[in-house]
Amino acid sequence: MQALTDKRILLGVTGGIAAYKAAELVRRLRDVGAEVQVVMTAAAQRFVAPMTFQAVSGRPVRSDLFDPAGEAAMGHIELARWADVILIAPASADFMARLAGGLADDLLATLCLATRAPLALAPAMNQAMWSAPATTANAERLVARGVHLFGPAHGVQACGDSGPGRMVEPGELVERLAGLFGPRDLEGVPVTITAGPTREALDPVRYISNRSSGKMGFALASTAAARGARVRLVAGPVALPTPPGVERIDVESAAAMYEAVLADPGEVFIGCAAVADYRVADVAGTKIKKHADTLMLKLVRNPDILATVAALPNRPLTVGFAAETDRLEDYARTKLTEKRLDLIAANWVGERAGEGGFDSDRNALKVFWPGGELDLGTDSKRGLAGRLLDLIVARRALSQEQP
């Protein structure tokens, strides 16, 4: 994580139970060579004592807007100039509202207004608070001003609810923060990415689908956008927030995804979605009733998005994915050749997937291209997204050099 070496990170901690995770975040940031200055709100100090952050950061915690020990008692200006980046983790609904409203009623809010450094928020709150229209409007306003939103994640919360609102884990926050200082080697490049499953209707109630969560495709979209790409994300039905700076097109069926992709496949196309191979030939107009012991369905092939894009007259650099339960390399190489792809990323699913695959935040990828291969190993899906994009950038540069 060399991108964060010697970087000065101002970590703002606001009031919420997720404040305890911020201590681990400080440790991880220091492990990669960053300097960390913690600024706490009054509410945050009710959850974690400042001494904890002083111990892990090696620096006194700041919290007072009028600190006589600060430079000329102008702490907000001093800290705003010092920071290379400001990360608020956790960012409460209250703090987001104050920041969206331009308030400067404590040290943390004031220095966010006074800084020219990049500003990122890791929201953490009850799922109902995150979904409230006021919070949604505040989040949209902040993103429109250039603030980076890292999360929130989905899952079980301290209150017992489940849904969006969990703070993104410290390891992923370090990766996302590093992405702000990463390469801009896709500046202005149109990139289209598919993600998630598709649903093929049986009747107005039922459908055929698969277990894809869309997390790998969304990680690719977020990372590509951070590297300067103009990203179109064609997403199947998933419950994931849209990455900052990404144009999202939501679809349900394989046919709808096909149309959305062909409308603008970009200069780089990454087919990460788990697209249904077949659809029902005749979708019932009313709910199918249970009568006989068996039900026969006639299925027909869906259009092959990857193969179609790869066969376009002015084809983009085309990258596919192969999720397999057996013979991973054989099937991936066959798909690479038959569909005339530039790259294919293969991963295990099912029992052989281990800690990766569907629904997981981690994965293991092995990438193949004509005449080469590279094992990217096991990592977070965001970490793997960065490595895969490194390969894509290299292959794209090579193709542009060839006559």
Side-chain angles (χ1 to χ4, degrees):
M1 205 74 66
Q2 293 183 341
L4 292 178
T5 301
D6 297 327
K7 288 293 187 293
R8 293 175 295 193
I9 313 298
L10 194 148
L11 176 63
V13 183
T14 70
I17 189 60
Y20 79 92
K21 293 183 180 181
E24 171 68 9
L25 175 58
V26 173
R27 184 188 68 79
R28 287 180 178 251
L29 287 169
R30 295 197 70 193
D31 284 347
V32 297
E35 295 183 61
V36 184
Q37 172 65 61
V38 177
V39 175
M40 301 181 72
T41 65
Q45 295 176 61
R46 291 179 174 270
F47 290 89
V48 182
M51 186 63 68
T52 299
F53 289 106
Q54 180 171 320
V56 294
S57 70
R59 303 173 68 98
V61 173
R62 303 287 290 273
S63 58
D64 192 347
L65 182 58
F66 302 103
D67 183 1
E71 180 183 326
M74 298 290 285
H76 60 292
I77 302 299
E78 170 197 349
L79 291 171
R81 290 172 176 169
W82 176 85
D84 290 319
V85 64
I86 297 175
L87 171 63
I88 314 299
S92 66
D94 173 74
F95 186 80
M96 290 178 63
R98 289 193 286 125
L99 197 61
L103 299 185
D105 52 354
D106 65 5
L107 176 60
L108 185 56
T110 302
L111 67 88
C112 285
L113 292 182
T115 191
R116 296 186 182 276
L119 175 60
L121 306 181
M125 63 197 73
N126 170 266
Q127 55 85 24
M129 295 176 70
W130 172 252
S131 301
T135 306
T136 299
N138 290 333
E140 291 174 351
R141 185 181 301 177
L142 291 169
V143 169
R145 293 177 188 165
V147 175
H148 302 274
L149 281 191
F150 296 162
H154 290 241
V156 178
Q157 300 174 324
C159 61
D161 284 357
S162 183
R166 287 174 58 92
M167 189 177 93
V168 171
E169 293 301 317
E172 183 175 345
L173 286 177
V174 173
E175 291 177 357
R176 294 199 180 193
L177 207 57
L180 298 182
F181 299 98
R184 300 283 292 183
D185 45 15
L186 288 170
E187 193 72 54
V189 176
V191 176
T192 295
I193 300 172
T194 63
T198 61
R199 291 176 178 173
E200 308 303 322
L202 303 179
D203 61 25
V205 177
R206 305 177 182 89
Y207 55 82
I208 300 171
S209 191
N210 58 66
R211 293 176 53 195
S212 174
S213 65
K215 290 180 179 179
M216 189 71 235
F218 274 64
L220 282 163
S222 176
T223 307
R227 294 170 80 149
R230 292 192 288 112
V231 180
R232 292 178 73 244
L233 176 61
V234 183
V238 295
L240 295 173
T242 305
V246 170
E247 177 191 359
R248 178 172 176 172
I249 299 97
D250 289 311
V251 298
E252 286 257 341
S253 67
M257 183 171 285
Y258 178 89
E259 292 178 4
V261 167
L262 290 186
D264 185 2
E267 293 181 17
V268 175
F269 173 68
I270 307 175
C272 191
V275 183
D277 294 323
Y278 295 88
R279 68 182 184 277
V280 177
D282 298 303
V283 179
T286 57
K287 181 181 175 182
I288 300 171
K289 297 300 182 181
K290 179 172 62 178
H291 296 298
D293 292 336
T294 60
L295 174 66
M296 301 295 291
L297 295 173
K298 182 180 178 181
L299 303 179
V300 295
R301 284 280 297 270
N302 273 321
D304 191 318
I305 298 173
L306 263 178
T308 301
V309 171
L312 290 173
N314 296 312
R315 53 170 281 164
L317 186 140
T318 308
V319 182
F321 271 73
E324 304 294 347
T325 58
D326 66 312
R327 297 174 58 193
L328 180 73
E329 183 169 339
D330 289 344
Y331 287 133
R333 287 191 178 278
T334 298
K335 192 173 183 179
L336 175 73
T337 302
E338 291 183 349
K339 299 190 180 187
R340 297 176 56 245
L341 307 179
D342 296 286
L343 290 162
I344 190 162
N347 67 283
W348 293 106
V349 290
E351 293 181 0
R352 301 188 65 173
E355 61 178 321
F358 292 139
D359 300 319
S360 174
D361 291 323
R362 295 176 66 78
N363 208 352
L365 291 181
K366 191 168 185 179
V367 184
F368 303 92
W369 61 91
E373 64 180 70
L374 181 64
D375 191 338
L376 300 186
T378 302
D379 200 349
S380 68
K381 289 182 176 178
R382 187 171 182 89
L384 289 171
R387 294 180 205 170
L388 179 56
L389 285 170
D390 289 342
L391 281 175
I392 291 171
V393 168
R395 297 295 296 176
R396 182 171 180 267
L398 185 63
S399 67
Q400 290 175 334
E401 292 174 1
Q402 296 174 347

